[in-house]
Amino acid sequence: MSTVAITGANSGIGLRAARQLMDAGHRVLALCRSVDRARAALGPAVDVIETHMDDLASIERAAAQVADAGVDVLINNAATFDLGMKQRQTTAAGDEYVWATNHLGAAALAAKLGPALAASDDGRLIFIASKGLVAMPRIRIRWDDVDATTWYTPTKAYYHAKLAQVMLAESLAQQWSPRVHVTALRVPAVRLDAEKLAAQPRLQRWLYAPKNRAAAEPDAVAQTYVALATGAAPASAYVDESGAPCALPRFARDEEQRRRLLEVTEAATGASFDLD
Ligand SMILES: NC(=O)c1ccc[n+]([C@@H]2O[C@H](COP(=O)([O-])OP(=O)(O)OC[C@H]3O[C@@H](n4cnc5c(N)ncnc54)[C@H](OP(=O)(O)O)[C@@H]3O)[C@@H](O)[C@H]2O)c1
């Protein structure tokens, strides 16, 4: 049985994955920003570690607790995608909020937990990407302005950060192999929980409704999380919802761009991707 740390385990796919893992007898460390909401969703006995993915100090504290508990798998599931966030926002550290939460936070947590994962007999790290990238063949990392001061929309910021997650996974899959097995999962459109949908602006709710009806069930995609976390290790560092290898976004195939992302991410987070 494995110990699996999963961020954003209180709702959506993360919640279903946490429940499935617990039902299968694995230990789950639920890294959530609201301890109360995590306990309400997963039950009072769950191990919850308060973690704010937009706050590097919070991530450092959480990583220390996870490492103390012992961990085999980290699933970097939490992400923000709020179409109502029309204006660019920044964290206390001054980073653009979506970049900070969906890329820098996930990257910092991975870096901090890398040595603990490497100490496991079967250490695994899973990043969550989005199938929406397939429709954006020209997407690239905006090196001149990663914090989106000149180009922000919630959608652009979201996919920019997801591209970075794919690139980071590809780099770490090479750098950390064979000590830690690293994968990025390309998630298709998945039905949002009712309360998440209700939190969107009225127009967005209306626009999103048909897509939400046609979307995959979170429980089905959660099964792939569980398979990647605890089943046979996949042969590819980038897989689709059925666990099959899929093609990297064009920009992510460029090794030089990936190396640059590692440097930019280490500089922004102060975290190192060295395992030793
Ligand atoms: N749903 C889709 O169609 C779809 C498609 C492609 C990829 N994905 C990806 O799949 C993953 C799960 O998405 P989902 O659909 O399950 O969404 P969700 O229900 O909105 O879950 C997102 C989770 O992330 C947490 N989170 C957001 N910002 C945070 C922050 N600053 N600090 C800590 N936690 C934070 C949320 O916590 P709170 O509950 O406290 O807000 C929530 O637990 C995400 O990486 C998403 O980008 C989803």
Side-chain angles (χ1 to χ4, degrees), residues 66-263:
V66 172
D68 277 354
V71 65
D72 302 296
V73 185
L74 168 63
I75 307 178
N76 256 323
N77 163 75
T80 183
F81 185 32
D82 181 357
L83 292 168
M85 200 192 279
K86 297 243 178 280
Q87 300 299 319
R88 176 181 174 276
Q89 294 182 22
T90 52
T91 63
D95 301 304
E96 187 277 317
Y97 183 80
V98 178
W99 180 247
T101 304
N102 295 7
H103 175 60
L104 296 179
L109 187 60
K112 297 278 175 200
L113 285 178
L117 295 171
S120 163
D121 288 342
D122 189 15
R124 299 188 190 192
L125 168 62
I126 299 161
F127 290 97
I128 304 302
S130 172
K131 193 171 184 179
L133 286 169
V134 172
M136 302 173 188
R138 297 168 66 85
I139 191 169
R140 60 193 172 87
I141 299 297
R142 307 285 296 252
W143 299 121
D144 55 331
D145 187 15
V146 289
D147 283 308
T149 60
T150 55
W151 54 269
Y152 177 85
T153 68
T155 303
K156 285 183 184 168
Y158 176 79
Y159 286 107
H160 182 250
K162 286 298 184 193
L163 173 64
Q165 292 285 277
V166 178
M167 294 169 68
L168 182 59
E170 183 69 16
S171 294
L172 294 184
Q174 293 176 20
Q175 190 174 320
W176 287 4
S177 175
R179 297 169 70 189
V180 181
H181 196 285
V182 183
T183 322
L185 168 59
R186 193 184 74 179
V187 167
V190 173
R191 191 163 301 161
L192 288 179
D193 288 350
E195 58 272 26
K196 293 281 178 185
L197 194 58
Q200 293 296 313
R202 186 190 300 208
L203 177 63
Q204 299 302 341
R205 281 204 309 271
W206 184 76
L207 290 172
Y208 203 81
K211 183 181 171 192
N212 209 38
R213 277 195 293 274
E217 291 292 341
D219 253 313
V221 177
Q223 285 176 14
T224 310
Y225 280 35
V226 174
L228 293 177
T230 63
S236 167
Y238 192 37
V239 298
D240 68 13
E241 69 273 26
S242 65
C246 54
L248 286 172
R250 190 169 52 88
F251 191 82
R253 291 176 212 154
D254 186 328
E255 193 174 346
E256 175 56 25
Q257 303 290 351
R258 294 200 306 268
R259 189 197 53 73
R260 190 171 180 185
L261 181 70
L262 285 185
E263 286 174 10

